[in-house]
Amino acid sequence: MPKFSRFLVRFAPRGLGAWLALAFSSLTVVLTLLLVEVVERFATDQVKSSIGNGLGEMAMQTADKLDRGMYERYREVRLMARRGDLTAPGASHAERRRILGDMQSTYGYYEWIGMTGLDGTVLVEARGLLEGKNVAKRPWFINALKGTYVGDVHEAVLLAKLLPVQEGEPRRFVDVAFPWLDADGRPAGVLGTHLSWEWARDVERSIIAPVQTRNRVQALILSAEGVVLLGPEGLQDARIDLASLGQARAGRTGYTVERWPDGRDYLVGYAATRAVGDYPGLGWHVLVRQDIEDAYRPVRELRARALWSGAALALLFSLAGLLLARRITRPLKALAASADHLRRGDSEQLLPSERGYTEVRQLSGALNALVTALVARRAELQGLNDTLEQRVEQRTLELERALASVRASEQRIATIVGAAQDAFIAVDLRGMIIDWNQAAERMFGWSRHEAVGWPLAEMILPERYRDSIAKALRGYRQTGAFDYGRRLERIVINRQGAEFTVETTVALAGEGEEAFFSMFLNDISERKKVERMKSEFVSTVSHELRTPLTSIHASLSLLDSGLAGELPADVAQLIRIASQGCERLMRMVNDLLDIQKIEAGQMAYQRSAQLLAPMLRHAAETMDGQARQAGVALRFDLPPGAERVQATIDHDRMVQVFSNLLSNAIKFTPSGKAVTIGVAQRPGWARLSVTDEGPGIPPAFQGRVFERFAQAEAHDTRQRGGTGLGLSISKSIVEEHGGTIGFETRAGMGTRFTVELPLA
């Protein structure tokens, strides 16, 4: 490679004239090559189309000639089998032989023609061959009596030893045979002929021979099974399966380019034989092929001539380019000489000769203007040098002021962080502590001097949580993704190893290698203790209330049902109101207990794969009494296939969810309207819905629908009652099942709550 580089440097053009000459020559060569490529491609396509269509036409002509020839033989033999003078009972043996002999001499390709009886014995033959022999087991005899009058190509069997020896390939026949009838119109025997397969070769030669010498075209006749019946040496009797044969079998006529078993590419025309008249045909296919090298030889000769012509043109243009380049570069040389004088200090102008072309004159003017500008810039530079020290001093003073401002800002930030009530910790991208304020010292018991430089995980996290820090840092370094801005609760340890809970906010500060994580931590252990006490209080009160409420509700229900006898109307009304109030209190207690279980993570689920439609019917039956009392109808919308939708669910908990949804829908649906329960399915998910015909959810309340104790500020909300916990509990149960719950609402048009669950 270094030798080649030195060769290029040594023999590369030195002047503009040589470069222009080289450019002219190279451009000519490139244009010639492009022209040759375009011409070659166009000519190749033209030759391929022309020859391919010709081969397809020859294949079609050959197939048509085969069909028409076979049709003539088919018709002749059928007419012969119907001749009265041949089939008459009184016809003599000699007369029949004469008639058959005339037929054989009329069409010389009949190798054998004779008549048999119904038992298969040959009665008479044109030359006496096989007379007295029994041919009952020969396919042509059997098929003729069954109604199949033409047989495919086969080698001679009985006649192989009786007929003269044929040079080359063995004798092959195509059988044509028809039953001949007696005076009563019943079959009396079979008139059969063996048509020499040389007939087909003559058909092939009559079509292919005119172009065979010039184009080396080969024709193949194939059976319906793809066996070569007639073709080039080496392919005779071979079975082939090519795309062209597939096209012919599909009844198409055309051409294609394909590779044959001999490893060579051919341009192949194809066609299929067809039935003519009442001749049914034998399903033969004709392929006519030509070697792709022979087909494209004219294109290669044209390419060679174009290349030689291009080379001659390149040489001619190179000489013309050299002469033209010398004329072009003459004014430039004069301009270069003037520029050299200027380099040596001469003050003369760069004035070219009057005969110089426009570009040279423009370049001369530009250079003159440049020299003038350089002189002016030199004077300006001298003036700048005189004031340089003053400018440097001024910039230095400005830089010192900016640095002092940055230091003051850093001091303010450090003071704010140090005085913050929350603990502040700064951690670099490796997880090492780089800052630690006084609140952190008080919270964890480690001084700033002891903490800085230590891994954060070892300093403040229990052993079981330390891998999470390393995993989060690896994820950030790999993806650059960081989820921040959320307040998180974490369990940490102090210097004595005591665990406590903090609420922390993490943010990413800085960019690139200087980036770090800033963390503010607030000790919430006291708050968590208060929340636990509150939950325990609510749980205790709820449990204590449930037992007496159950007894009260049972007693009131018995009185309301008439167990104590008929009561006065006003007393019965008071008992009914008390029973309903007690029932409402029990629902509130149950909701409070469910909330407490959800918060403590103690809500138990017993899941199993089950149909969803029966679960919805159970929920509807549970709410049927409330619906009847409110005058609201419950309807089901179950499209085809909805009864088979399954999901893995806790039946009782999902009934609780849809009882809550139905209860809300019934409350907000006017009397006389309906609530619709629906089941649908999309890929991977079951979609369950409860739709009411109420006033819709107010826009101001839509963002708080699933919050605890949230209730819409409607004019009759308190009349409708409720704890505001049902939807919050339902959301927790649905999400525990891996699903989602949402709603769609329109003012005055109603609301639809939708639950989506993963399919079982």
Side-chain angles (χ1 to χ4, degrees), residues 488-505:
L488 306 173
E489 292 185 6
R490 290 289 182 264
I491 296 177
V492 296
I493 58 174
N494 58 18
R495 186 167 190 163
Q496 289 74 33
E499 294 187 0
F500 59 98
T501 306
V502 297
E503 190 174 58
T504 178
T505 303

Side-chain angles (χ1 to χ4, degrees), residues 131-440:
E131 286 185 357
K133 301 289 183 181
N134 190 283
V135 294
K137 295 184 178 181
R138 300 303 299 151
W140 62 268
F141 177 83
I142 297 171
N143 291 335
L145 293 177
K146 292 181 177 180
T148 302
Y149 308 126
V150 182
D152 213 337
V153 180
H154 66 89
E155 293 188 7
V157 180
L158 298 176
L159 294 173
K161 298 178 180 179
L162 301 177
L163 294 174
V165 178
Q166 179 176 294
E167 296 183 0
E169 61 185 32
R171 290 183 180 276
R172 296 186 177 190
F173 298 144
V174 177
D175 300 328
V176 182
F178 283 87
W180 60 276
L181 308 178
D182 59 14
D184 296 328
R186 293 192 297 270
V190 175
L191 175 66
T193 65
H194 293 326
L195 181 64
S196 173
W197 187 236
E198 284 297 313
W199 156 77
R201 192 170 293 281
D202 286 349
V203 170
E204 178 246 350
R205 282 194 290 267
S206 68
I207 295 175
I208 305 300
V211 296
Q212 176 68 36
T213 304
R214 184 176 72 255
N215 293 332
R216 302 184 190 177
V217 175
Q218 297 174 328
L220 295 89
I221 300 176
L222 297 94
S223 69
E225 293 77 21
V227 177
V228 178
L229 304 175
L230 185 148
E233 185 177 355
L235 288 178
Q236 191 72 36
D237 296 326
R239 184 183 296 273
I240 62 175
D241 186 10
L242 298 168
S244 55
L245 179 58
Q247 294 291 331
R249 283 173 172 165
R252 300 186 180 94
T253 300
Y255 69 92
T256 186
V257 176
E258 61 186 0
R259 177 157 295 184
W260 280 55
D262 60 2
R264 307 188 63 159
D265 293 328
Y266 292 89
L267 197 58
V268 184
Y270 49 82
T273 61
R274 296 177 173 84
V276 178
D278 54 359
Y279 163 62
L282 291 173
W284 294 338
H285 306 94
V286 180
L287 303 181
V288 182
R289 72 178 190 176
Q290 182 178 4
D291 194 303
I292 204 74
E293 295 294 328
D294 294 335
Y296 291 169
R297 184 176 292 109
V299 177
R300 291 196 297 273
E301 293 174 355
L302 176 63
R303 184 176 184 274
R305 287 196 295 270
L307 286 174
W308 281 111
S309 301
L313 285 174
L315 179 60
L316 179 62
F317 273 90
S318 297
L319 294 175
L322 182 60
L323 296 176
L324 182 60
R326 287 183 177 179
R327 181 175 181 83
I328 291 173
T329 57
R330 192 177 298 121
L332 293 177
K333 289 180 179 179
L335 188 60
S338 298
D340 187 60
H341 286 297
L342 181 63
R343 181 182 60 81
R344 292 197 298 267
D346 296 344
S347 59
E348 66 181 19
Q349 297 290 309
L350 303 176
L351 297 175
S353 62
E354 291 296 331
R355 292 183 295 176
Y357 42 83
T358 303
E359 287 77 4
V360 173
R361 290 197 297 272
Q362 291 176 348
L363 179 59
S364 176
L367 289 176
N368 286 330
L370 179 60
V371 171
T372 302
L374 284 175
V375 173
R377 295 295 184 274
R378 183 181 297 173
E380 292 178 3
L381 183 59
Q382 186 63 40
L384 289 174
N385 286 335
D386 295 340
T387 61
L388 181 59
E389 290 187 10
Q390 181 181 355
R391 290 173 178 266
V392 170
E393 183 178 357
Q394 182 179 355
R395 295 296 185 269
T396 303
L397 181 59
E398 293 175 356
L399 183 60
E400 290 177 350
R401 291 174 180 170
L403 184 59
S405 176
V406 170
R407 287 174 178 168
S409 178
E410 290 181 349
Q411 184 64 33
R412 285 196 299 272
I413 293 174
T415 301
I416 293 171
V417 170
Q421 294 296 319
D422 290 345
F424 171 77
I425 304 174
V427 182
D428 64 15
L429 300 183
R430 299 172 301 161
M432 310 299 289
I433 298 173
I434 59 176
D435 202 356
W436 183 274
N437 73 348
Q438 295 177 1

